[in-house]
Amino acid sequence: MIRSLPTGRFYRFGYTAYVSLFYLFLFSPLVITCILAFNDSNFPGLPWEGFTLDWFFADEEHRTGIFHDDRNLNATWISLQTAVAVAFLSLIIGTMAAFLFEQEQFRFKQALFFLALTPLVIPGVILGISLLLASNSAGLFFENNLGIDFEILRPSFGLVVLGQMSFISTFVMLVVSARLKKFDTSLEDAALNLGATRPQVIRYITIPYLKPALIGAGSVAFLMSFENFNTTLFLVGSDTTLPISLYLQVRDGSTPLINAISFVLIISTSVLALVNLLVSQKKID
Amino acid sequence: MAGRLTLYIFLAPVLLWLFLLIVLPHIDLFFISLQAENDMGDMVWSLSNYEAFFTEKIYWLTFLRTAVYAILTTILTFLITFPIAFYITKVVSLRVSGFFTILLLVPFWVSELVRIYGWMILLRESGVFNHYLMQLGLIDKPIEMLYNDISMIMGLVYTSMLFMVVPLISSLEGLDDGLIEAAYDLGASKIVIIWKIVIPYIMPGITSGSIVVFMLTLGNYLTPNLMGGKNSLWFTEQIYNQFIASFNWNQGAAFGFLLLILSTLIIWIGLKVTRQNLSRALS
């Protein structure tokens, strides 16, 4: 049953078989996507027609590799910009929220904390449409009453950043809070007793202690933003992000070009995931 | 005095975030859902958006179907991932347990779209499975394995497994092996041990995993759309249609508000039944 207890051979065999099947189930779609990125066929499927790198480097009329495909390169660039902006803003807001709820005392703290958790239980589609409606209402209000037209209130890059930030900040808050809970506050007290100001304590004592959590939360925030679909779908303007652009292509029939993009995404996120996991493992040791 | 100042420095951005991006937009969503165009083409207060929901069979049927399938997906996700979480934390030798965990987590960092695309390549009529089945002579002509309820549920389970398995692993890690050993020595069977000791102990993990999986499934658009096809009838697609295709934002707002009520209600019932609270379940 568990390591220290004896089990029957049949039971152990069955359990191992189940676990193997599970991992097969987990990896088969990813592995097949990667393999077919190198198939010399105009259709992403079998039979195998031979190895090619066309879907990465070709620049012909009916075969464009990803490094010459302006549409997806452009979408990737926009997604990267969005992800950097969202990770940066969510880190600031989320960390401030963590400090607020872990270290400060004020009225209605519990209620506000509850409110800060709600973005996690609101479906992303609803966050998207409610922000779309509200920004549209606000835009109309400003235009009718003040005669000013705010670009950010229309579906645009800025609105996507705000929409994604609204729930990614909560993730950052939870990750940073978890580490802040384990923090020995006597370190802060000692620094304060020795004459440090509160900002100095935060700058030189607390932030260095939080660094692993900040790096971890930042990379998760980056990835969540880069891959977000549900919220972005309603807020995006003419500059489509990569997930939206890929969705439109997959829906309308696909070419191995999608496999090549997927291959790059799988490899780069796996590397990022491994680095992040190793960094956080180190933190625990 | 300085203490008050730091409080306000932390409080101001948090209040801005929560009120401008969460509270106000949802109030606006509610108000807009209560407005509709009258015969003259003017916007007036009206319940007609909600009326349409209850009178058009396709709307409430899709709503009900989405709710039932989201609950089903949550239960299936738990049943599939629990043995895996147990295996990693309690069965496999400690040396390889870390490796198994990393192997489990990495695929979930990859975008949902890429994972779903992989399943499409495997399952579709011209897909990899059909290619091999034909080569083995098991079938004469390709079968369409995509675009049905089973493939859709499978896709939903696949995309949400991570959010169940991580809380399960972390609560199982806290379970003292001695408890299981003691029960075993006293003659309890495997089923009794799981049911009477393991499950009650990891209930907080099960609750938080279920809340997140349920919410993500209910609000999912990609997977039902790409793996369920035209038959998917997922409620988020109705919302999308109202916003993007029909451009009827008031009707879409009403649908959005109803989905919000549904998800809040089911999560609240789940918390009550398992005697948990939201703050504990999520953090």
Side-chain angles (χ1 to χ4, degrees), chain A residues 194-255:
Chain A
L194 292 169
T197 60
R198 189 74 203 280
Q200 279 178 324
V201 171
I202 291 175
R203 166 77 182 74
Y204 292 104
I205 311 273
T206 324
I207 295 287
Y209 169 81
L210 289 177
K211 211 170 146 193
L214 293 177
I215 293 173
S219 46
V220 172
F222 178 88
L223 218 65
M224 282 177 82
S225 161
F226 191 82
E227 294 174 350
N228 184 270
F229 180 85
N230 283 347
T231 308
T232 312
L233 183 64
F234 294 95
L235 301 174
V236 78
S238 52
D239 299 334
T240 48
T241 61
L242 188 61
I244 307 276
S245 158
L246 283 179
Y247 165 74
L248 296 172
Q249 290 167 72
V250 169
R251 196 187 56 180
D252 303 338
S254 53
T255 70

Side-chain angles (χ1 to χ4, degrees), chain A residues 3-4 15 18 23 26-27 33 43-44 96 120-121 125-126 133-134 137 166 170 223 227 230 246-247 259 276, chain B residues 13 17 28 80 83 89-92 100 103-104 109 111 113 117-118 121 124 126 158 181 215 219 222 225 256:
Chain A
R3 282 173 211 112
S4 49
Y15 207 159
Y18 177 76
Y23 277 95
L26 192 59
F27 279 95
T33 306
F43 177 77
M96 287 202 162
L120 285 192
V121 288
V125 171
I126 294 174
L133 291 171
S137 305
S166 70
T170 303
L223 218 65
E227 294 174 350
N230 283 347
L246 283 179
Y247 165 74
N259 292 63
N276 193 13
Chain B
W17 158 42
D28 200 39
I80 289 172
T89 47
K90 299 290 172 202
V91 180
V92 81
F100 268 77
L103 210 58
L104 184 67
W109 284 62
S111 145
L113 189 87
Y117 178 65
I121 296 180
R124 65 180 162 202
S126 52
Y158 184 83
E181 286 161 7
M215 188 279 290
L222 265 183
N225 192 260

Side-chain angles (χ1 to χ4, degrees), chain A residues 8-20:
Chain A
R9 180 184 289 175
F10 185 71
Y11 172 81
R12 211 163 51 214
F13 175 77
Y15 207 159
T16 315
Y18 177 76
V19 174
S20 317

Side-chain angles (χ1 to χ4, degrees), chain B residues 86-275:
Chain B
F86 194 79
Y87 188 82
I88 286 176
T89 47
K90 299 290 172 202
V91 180
V92 81
S93 75
L94 285 170
R95 256 181 318 125
V96 287
S97 144
F99 173 71
F100 268 77
T101 315
I102 289 181
L103 210 58
L104 184 67
L105 298 186
V106 167
F108 293 107
W109 284 62
V110 178
S111 145
E112 183 184 355
L113 189 87
V114 172
R115 286 181 273 147
I116 292 305
Y117 178 65
W119 279 113
M120 291 174 75
I121 296 180
L122 285 172
L123 294 178
R124 65 180 162 202
E125 211 176 343
S126 52
V128 174
F129 283 165
N130 271 314
H131 178 80
Y132 282 119
L133 286 175
M134 298 243 290
Q135 239 178 17
L136 290 170
L138 291 173
I139 50 171
D140 299 328
K141 58 178 200 285
I143 324 165
E144 182 59 273
M145 294 183 236
L146 264 184
Y147 311 129
N148 58 57
D149 287 6
I150 295 172
S151 69
M152 182 176 82
I153 297 284
M154 193 213 71
L156 288 167
V157 169
Y158 184 83
T159 52
S160 37
M161 286 190 302
L162 170 82
F163 302 97
M164 185 65 89
V165 84
V166 167
L168 288 185
I169 286 179
S170 57
S171 31
L172 276 169
E173 273 171 349
L175 174 64
D176 186 353
D177 287 5
L179 290 174
I180 297 176
E181 286 161 7
Y184 179 83
D185 290 343
L186 292 169
S189 69
K190 289 188 183 72
I191 295 171
V192 171
I193 292 177
I194 297 285
W195 188 247
K196 294 275 183 191
I197 296 177
V198 180
I199 298 284
Y201 185 86
I202 62 168
M203 210 54 200
I206 299 178
T207 315
S208 59
S210 303
I211 288 178
V212 177
V213 168
F214 174 76
M215 188 279 290
L216 287 176
T217 308
L218 197 68
N220 200 323
Y221 177 80
L222 265 183
T223 308
N225 192 260
L226 291 178
M227 292 189 76
K230 286 192 176 63
N231 310 319
S232 64
L233 291 174
W234 208 251
F235 200 64
T236 47
E237 292 174 324
Q238 300 283 3
I239 297 178
Y240 179 85
N241 288 343
Q242 294 299 333
F243 268 88
I244 310 288
S246 327
F247 219 70
N248 187 348
W249 285 15
N250 301 86
Q251 186 66 62
F255 286 173
F257 198 74
L258 286 164
L259 191 70
L260 187 63
I261 301 273
L262 175 69
S263 95
T264 314
L265 190 72
I266 294 189
I267 289 171
W268 183 77
I269 292 172
L271 289 170
K272 281 285 161 242
V273 168
T274 56
R275 304 217 180 90

